[in-house]
Amino acid sequence: MATLRGESGSVEFETGGGSLATVVGTRSWSLSITKETLDTSVHGNTFRQFVGSMISGSGTVELVYDPDATGQAAFVEDIVKANDAADASFELFTTGNTNGTDSVAFGGIITDMEITSTVGELVIVSCNFITSSTITSNLE
C-alpha cells in the first residue's frame, strides 16, 4: 500500500484561454465534492428511495506568498474579476504534476481571498473556490 505525503501534491491553474501552469508556492489544497439527492419514494414504500442528482464542489488553496512565483499572480488576481465567466481551469494533484494523473480537474471560480502577514512569519494567501463544470477524477 502506497502512502502519500502532502509534500507530493501541487496545483495547476489557468484563466481565460492559456494552458495550465503550476502555481509555485502551494502549501496546501482541499476539495469537497457534494452530490445532492432526490427522493423518489412513492406511496406504499416502507423505506425511502433516493437517486443522485446535481454535483458541486468547493475548496481552498493555500500559498506561501511570493509575487514573483510562477502562476501566483494570475491565481490571486482572479478574485478581482467582475462578472467572472467561470473560465478558470484547476487541476489539483495528489502526487507530481502530470496532467490527468493522480488529480482532480474542473472549471471554477475563486470566491474569496485572504492574505495574512504576521511579523516573523511567512505571508500566506488563502483562496476559496467553487466548481462550475464537470469534475474529472483521475485519482489512482
Side-chain angles (χ1 to χ4, degrees):
M1 178 173 113
T3 300
L4 300 180
R5 297 181 304 181
E7 67 187 35
S8 302
S10 63
V11 172
E12 288 191 356
F13 178 78
E14 179 280 320
T15 183
S19 58
L20 286 169
T22 300
V23 179
V24 174
T26 299
R27 182 171 170 165
S28 67
W29 63 261
S30 68
L31 173 65
S32 297
I33 300 173
T34 304
K35 182 187 297 184
E36 296 174 15
T37 57
L38 302 174
D39 188 340
T40 59
S41 305
V42 295
H43 289 286
N45 284 77
T46 302
F47 298 96
R48 292 207 172 272
Q49 297 175 348
F50 295 90
V51 296
S53 183
M54 303 294 285
I55 300 169
S56 62
S58 63
T60 302
V61 174
E62 188 178 66
L63 308 169
V64 175
Y65 183 64
D66 177 354
D68 298 324
T70 303
Q72 275 196 19
F75 188 78
V76 171
E77 291 172 6
D78 199 59
I79 188 64
V80 295
K81 282 186 179 178
N83 300 318
D84 198 341
D87 62 349
S89 298
F90 293 76
E91 191 161 6
L92 310 176
F93 296 88
T94 57
T95 60
N97 61 358
T98 303
N99 294 97
T101 304
D102 293 329
S103 65
V104 180
F106 51 89
I109 299 172
I110 296 177
T111 57
D112 63 84
M113 184 255 310
E114 177 181 5
I115 298 176
T116 305
S117 178
T118 303
V119 173
E121 295 183 16
L122 298 170
V123 175
I124 302 298
V125 176
S126 182
C127 294
N128 294 315
F129 60 83
I130 59 169
T131 62
S132 185
S133 70
T134 301
I135 301 169
T136 305
S137 175
N138 300 302
L139 299 173
E140 299 175 2

